[in-house]
Amino acid sequence: MSRWVLAYDGYDPATEGLREALCTLGNGYVATRGAAPESPADGVHYPGTYVAGCYDRLQAEIGGLHADNADLVNMPNWLPLTFRAEDGEWFDPDAALKEDRLLSYRQELDLRRGVLTRLVRVRDRAGRTFRLAQRRIVSMDDPHLAALETTIVAEDWSGALHIRSALDGRVANAGVERYRGLPGTHLTREEPPPQSGPELLLLRASTVSSKIGIGVAARTRVSVPAKASRLAEAGWAAQDLTVDAERGAHVTVEKVAAVFTSRDRAVEEAGEAALGAAAGAGGFDALLERHTLAWNRLWRRCQLSVDHVEVQRVLNLHIFHLLQTVSEHIVDLDVGVPARGLHGEAYRGHVFWDEVFILPFLTMRFPEIARALLMYRWRRLPAARRAAADAGRRGAMYPWQSAADGREETQLVHLNPRSGRWLPDHTHLQRHVGLTIALNVWRFYEATGDAEFLAEYGAEIMLEVARFFADLTVYDHSTDRYGIRGVMGPDEYHDAYPGRDRPGLDDNAYTNVLAAWLLERALEALAVLPEDRRGELRERLALTREEITRFEDVARKMYVPFHAGVISQFEGYGALEELDWARYRERYGDIRRLDRILEAEGDSPNRYKASKQADVLMLFYVLSPGELDAVLRNLGYEHGPELAARTIAYYLPRTCDGSTLSSLVHAWLLAYTDGDEAWDVFLDSLFTDITGIQRGTIAEGIHLGAMAGTVDLVQRCHAGVRTRGGALRLEPRLPSAVGELRLGLRYRGHWGIDLTCRQDLVRVALRPGAASPIRISYGAEDIEIQPGASWESPLVAGRPPPAGG
Ligand code: BGC
């Protein structure tokens, strides 16, 4: 088994959607699902192409409500390429499979080079055998280019071989079954312009409401002389090429596509730009060479190896998809992280809070990408300020779901496929998203020391979010505590108190604690700015002494609910009923979507101590034990050292992992309490997408947060790398299944930090040529490592020796 190849033998229509998502090729700017080029969208195949940040909004009537939905637009399909012999039928793998004519079929994704290969042998209805070898790339070197090389061998016949290469703009957003009843046609269909050269096709379109101009061009070349003709209709352009195929001889067809939009820089008109790029591009081999070099460079910056081949392969797959969604090509793009990658249409390509799982890995390797993602949020600060003002609040209220301009994109109703009912969706009440954004800013600053970013953008986000939360709190004189009413935590199963009409819950502990943490950090961010910048910012934000006093007061007196010796998910959680878990498991087997099960039964998860995903437990994920301890103490909550263990043990069995993010967080937390179970849960979360057939939803897009989160878990939890107070803090916790773990890191401008953890030792080396030494903090030790030097210390069973030992 290779660490670098995802391989599929045979063709299985039932799992094709999953393959398409996992074999998506992309470069951060554009991505195309790993769909068969000859097949249109038909229920089995879904050839989606998405350009980062291209959204369009359509009006809809859903469940009697007027709604509008912004979608990440499915772009014109550049893939179509098919062939036939003489007057035989066009190649169609599904018909061939049904009629027993598909002799062999293999698909391979080369993760190291970003190449998707398909090897097929097929016989047509007249008994002629074809051999097909197809390679595909979406260039990591030039983000506008993609290429498909197809070699066809007529194994046992000679005669006319017809090839059709097309561009298809007659596509819609129809990749998610649940949304299919809703409008999904986002592209205008234009008549293709006359062909501007014998090899070139061009298609222009624009999005319906956002009016993004789109140009897709293709250049198709055949390795032997061909007769060409052109076909066109609105939204579709094709070239038919006919060659004389000789028995056993190879015919190679090379299709190079270029994609541009009016959002791109240095472009006058997208169609013209696409045509120029396709006409001027090198051949497949030249493009492949530059593409491979670009991937080599990325992999050099992503060194992360474990001596466990299958785990390594999946980690590579996760890094691969992360970099295909957010590569260096997004740095100038103004885009966020779509929760399901550029790999499908689930969640309409919206941006949630998932970057909290994604940024730590990026920050220590590609800080410029992490910074660009934070800038996406900074540019939407005006929209967040407007949202806060509309809600009668100060500061910035970021949306739970975000797309083009930062307005709230959360749907008003969602469908329970089990009951067929459209239900009100209150998830926009997850105000905690703003806290995560501010937390991400601070973590970025801690890891990079980028003081300019903090002064210019980051502190402003933190202060505006802090301001919103300070204003949101309600003071209770009788208890001398502040609280937050009517919100939702990360657990989306609880959206109201049982029997109460008004949505929202009071004092969600995750929100309250993180808000208290942020109020302090925002002031710290202000304090670390140079005096003149601090003064400027205070003036710009009209931040008064009274307001700062309010921040300090709330940070000291925020209310945190407790029950049964653990932190309560929200006020009143302790009074909810226990769910009969055994009964539901026995009855339904998979109860991850318990909300749908209960609703279909006329019941509601609001009645039970049952959560979709980590909620209180997220506190232990986003804050270090020391930080959480400090916030709780500052708030005057005395708690024993066992609070974490108790709280984790309490909520784990009451959480049903309805989100892929949940088992990831659980694996993280268990690593601190129970190493072996942690490894099993880690494996579960690692293999969620790659084996995701049961859950069905991966076909609609990967779970990018969970994918990146597993890689981050290896880095920050197993290798125990944290960035705090100007030093790289190391607290390895190597699972017993891992013998050796190696990471290459970047920290505060230092390239080339090599970290090795084995069961018996941890070693850090700073490559020669580094500009200055680095500081490592390990247990009570503070170590300085000079360029070219290394440091090591013993580990006992993968962990630092016990204190004094
Ligand atoms: C989870 C959210 C997550 C979203 C996108 C939902 O199912 O509950 O926490 O942000 O998926 O990944």
Side-chain angles (χ1 to χ4, degrees):
M1 190 190 316
S2 159
R3 293 161 181 245
W4 294 104
V5 177
L6 187 67
Y8 297 95
D9 264 316
Y11 168 60
D12 173 20
T15 56
E16 182 64 6
L18 171 73
R19 262 192 219 186
E20 287 181 354
L22 288 178
C23 292
T24 296
L25 294 181
N27 56 28
Y29 171 80
V30 63
T32 296
R33 286 165 62 86
E38 60 281 352
S39 306
D42 60 3
V44 171
H45 306 273
Y46 193 73
T49 287
Y50 309 95
V51 173
C54 286
Y55 293 96
D56 186 59
R57 186 178 302 280
L58 293 175
Q59 308 293 324
E61 286 290 322
I62 314 173
L65 277 175
H66 176 75
D68 56 31
N69 289 309
D71 283 303
L72 184 68
V73 175
N74 183 17
M75 292 282 154
N77 182 14
W78 65 271
L79 285 176
L81 191 112
T82 188
F83 55 88
R84 66 185 170 111
E86 303 282 342
D87 55 356
E89 73 283 358
W90 292 107
F91 170 48
D92 170 359
D94 296 272
L97 182 74
K98 273 193 209 118
E99 294 161 18
D100 243 358
R101 296 182 286 101
L102 197 60
L103 309 177
S104 68
Y105 195 99
R106 183 175 165 82
Q107 190 166 315
E108 272 187 20
L109 176 64
D110 175 343
L111 303 171
R112 199 203 292 263
R113 300 191 310 152
V115 181
L116 181 63
T117 302
R118 200 164 63 132
L119 302 170
V120 182
R121 278 186 75 231
V122 62
R123 192 158 288 150
D124 73 1
R125 289 190 181 123
R128 289 169 288 229
T129 314
F130 297 76
R131 198 164 72 236
L132 174 82
Q134 202 161 45
R135 295 190 293 171
R136 181 192 307 184
I137 58 172
V138 171
S139 176
M140 195 47 101
D141 174 59
D142 181 334
H144 297 283
L145 295 180
L148 180 72
E149 182 209 60
T150 309
T151 299
I152 304 165
V153 179
E155 281 195 5
D156 49 10
W157 58 278
S158 296
L161 171 67
H162 303 287
I163 296 149
R164 175 166 292 176
S165 170
L167 294 173
D168 192 358
R170 302 164 308 179
V171 298
N173 276 54
V176 177
E177 204 180 325
R178 291 188 305 291
Y179 309 155
R180 267 181 214 149
L182 306 173
T185 306
H186 290 286
L187 296 181
T188 58
R189 290 184 188 171
E190 292 187 21
E191 285 296 335
Q195 201 165 0
S196 46
E199 301 173 327
L200 292 167
L201 293 174
L202 171 64
L203 208 59
R204 286 192 175 92
S206 70
T207 56
V208 172
S209 67
S210 54
K211 312 276 183 228
I212 299 171
I214 298 157
V216 181
R219 186 192 68 200
T220 309
R221 280 182 183 157
V222 193
S223 59
V224 294
K227 273 200 235 72
S229 60
R230 180 174 182 268
L231 298 95
E233 60 179 73
W236 184 76
Q239 250 172 318
D240 272 356
L241 301 152
T242 302
V243 303
D244 287 330
E246 298 213 4
R247 176 194 293 252
H250 292 53
V251 175
T252 298
V253 189
E254 194 187 270
K255 181 173 184 181
V256 175
V259 180
F260 279 80
T261 80
S262 55
R263 292 185 81 239
D264 297 335
R265 309 250 174 136
V267 162
E268 185 175 304
E269 188 273 320
E272 187 201 17
L275 203 59
F284 187 88
D285 286 334
L287 293 176
L288 176 64
E289 194 184 327
R290 297 191 64 84
H291 169 72
T292 309
L293 283 175
W295 267 110
N296 283 346
R297 203 163 44 77
L298 294 182
W299 283 116
R300 269 202 302 278
R301 285 173 77 165
C302 287
Q303 283 170 25
L304 181 145
S305 68
V306 284
D307 58 347
H308 189 302
V309 176
E310 185 53 2
V311 167
Q312 180 74 58
R313 187 170 70 109
V314 182
L315 290 172
N316 288 345
L317 179 77
H318 290 184
I319 297 173
F320 178 72
H321 283 308
L322 176 63
L323 294 178
Q324 294 203 112
T325 311
V326 284
S327 74
E328 289 156 314
H329 298 302
I330 69 147
V331 169
D332 275 338
L333 275 190
D334 182 34
V335 296
V337 184
R340 306 296 286 272
L342 296 171
H343 297 58
E345 293 162 14
Y347 293 135
R348 305 182 183 283
H350 293 175
V351 179
F352 295 63
W353 68 327
D354 302 44
E355 65 231 43
V356 69
F357 301 94
I358 288 165
L359 288 170
F361 178 78
L362 289 176
T363 303
M364 296 206 70
R365 291 178 170 76
F366 304 95
E368 63 284 11
I369 301 179
R371 187 180 194 276
L373 294 172
L374 295 172
M375 287 303 292
Y376 165 83
R377 296 299 194 173
W378 181 80
R379 289 193 198 96
R380 282 147 190 83
L381 204 43
R385 283 195 185 107
R386 278 195 300 277
D390 289 349
R393 301 283 169 208
R394 296 167 60 80
M397 181 171 91
Y398 275 100
W400 171 238
Q401 295 187 28
S402 178
D405 61 7
R407 77 181 79 171
E408 179 59 80
E409 301 286 0
T410 306
Q411 55 196 350
L412 300 174
V413 285
H414 63 240
L415 177 69
N416 179 359
R418 220 174 240 281
S419 67
R421 277 190 284 269
W422 286 95
L423 306 158
D425 189 323
H426 301 303
T427 51
H428 67 278
L429 292 174
Q430 291 184 75
R431 303 288 178 232
H432 65 84
V433 61
L435 297 167
T436 312
I437 293 166
L439 172 103
N440 291 336
V441 166
W442 186 246
R443 293 292 188 239
F444 176 79
Y445 168 69
E446 282 177 321
T448 59
D450 189 340
E452 192 52 35
F453 172 78
L454 191 71
E456 208 47 43
Y457 312 105
E460 185 176 3
I461 295 181
M462 292 177 74
L463 285 162
E464 286 289 60
V465 174
R467 177 177 250 177
F468 169 72
F469 277 91
D471 196 33
L472 192 62
T473 52
V474 184
Y475 181 65
D476 181 341
H477 286 275
S478 63
T479 55
D480 191 25
R481 289 273 180 198
Y482 291 89
I484 297 178
R485 310 259 187 274
V487 297
M488 280 175 70
D491 161 34
E492 301 184 334
Y493 285 179
H494 292 96
D495 66 353
Y497 286 101
R500 211 197 262 179
D501 283 344
R502 193 168 58 83
L505 302 152
D506 300 337
D507 296 316
N508 169 256
Y510 173 74
T511 307
N512 284 17
V513 173
L514 210 54
W517 176 88
L518 173 65
L519 286 161
E520 278 202 274
R521 285 300 80 63
L523 294 179
E524 189 178 339
L526 194 62
V528 298
L529 300 186
E531 207 177 317
D532 53 337
R533 308 294 285 274
R534 190 183 324 141
E536 259 170 44
L537 188 59
R538 277 189 63 171
E539 196 179 288
R540 190 145 55 86
L541 300 182
L543 190 64
T544 59
R545 186 61 245 170
E546 294 72 62
E547 208 176 357
I548 291 179
T549 308
R550 165 95 174 184
F551 280 22
E552 290 164 346
D553 203 39
V554 178
R556 264 200 328 274
K557 296 182 184 164
M558 185 72 98
Y559 173 63
V560 182
F562 283 82
H563 74 282
V566 301
I567 303 176
S568 307
Q569 190 171 310
F570 49 82
E571 178 68 1
Y573 177 93
L576 301 182
E577 289 173 44
E578 290 288 0
L579 183 86
D580 186 346
W581 291 89
R583 185 166 77 88
Y584 277 91
R585 285 214 169 91
E586 195 181 319
R587 182 121 144 247
Y588 293 97
D590 183 349
I591 57 163
R592 279 176 288 209
R593 291 313 304 256
L594 184 69
D595 57 333
R596 293 179 176 169
I597 294 174
L598 290 171
E599 194 277 330
E601 285 182 346
D603 203 345
S604 159
N606 281 332
R607 290 181 50 211
Y608 303 100
K609 292 187 175 103
S611 305
K612 176 183 184 186
Q613 67 197 84
D615 191 302
V616 173
L617 297 186
M618 278 304 294
L619 284 174
F620 299 89
Y621 179 78
V622 297
L623 300 179
S624 71
E627 284 175 313
L628 181 56
D629 205 54
V631 184
L632 291 176
R633 276 186 207 294
N634 195 28
L635 292 172
Y637 291 105
E638 283 307 322
H639 55 87
E642 265 75 57
L643 179 72
R646 272 200 313 274
T647 308
I648 293 168
Y650 183 90
Y651 284 102
L652 282 187
R654 292 176 173 83
T655 307
C656 47
D657 291 347
S659 158
T660 52
L661 299 172
S662 194
S663 50
L664 167 77
V665 174
H666 292 167
W668 185 286
L669 302 178
L670 285 168
Y672 285 90
T673 48
D674 179 340
D676 289 338
E677 198 190 337
W679 180 250
D680 292 342
V681 180
F682 170 68
L683 293 182
D684 273 357
S685 113
L686 196 64
F687 291 103
T688 306
D689 270 14
I690 196 165
T691 58
I693 307 155
Q694 316 86 314
R695 305 191 91 193
T697 68
I698 289 106
E700 301 165 353
I702 54 163
H703 295 95
L704 196 63
M707 279 192 168
T710 53
V711 183
D712 177 42
L713 189 147
V714 172
Q715 170 175 300
R716 282 197 301 149
C717 192
H718 294 160
V721 178
R722 288 183 189 255
T723 51
R724 296 280 185 282
L728 203 58
R729 175 140 198 87
L730 294 181
E731 291 168 41
R733 281 162 191 276
L734 214 55
S736 53
V738 174
E740 186 178 271
L741 172 58
R742 297 167 81 98
L743 297 178
L745 297 171
R746 175 172 191 168
Y747 171 61
R748 296 208 164 193
H750 280 98
W751 251 125
I753 302 170
D754 291 315
L755 170 68
T756 308
C757 296
R758 295 204 308 251
Q759 290 293 330
D760 59 350
L761 123 156
V762 56
R763 176 190 301 128
V764 182
L766 185 59
R767 289 179 212 158
S772 55
I774 50 162
R775 270 181 55 217
I776 303 283
S777 130
Y778 181 73
E781 287 179 68
D782 219 347
I783 305 118
E784 192 171 85
I785 306 180
Q786 298 297 329
S790 67
W791 161 89
E792 64 182 51
S793 173
L795 291 186
V796 177
R799 293 182 181 212

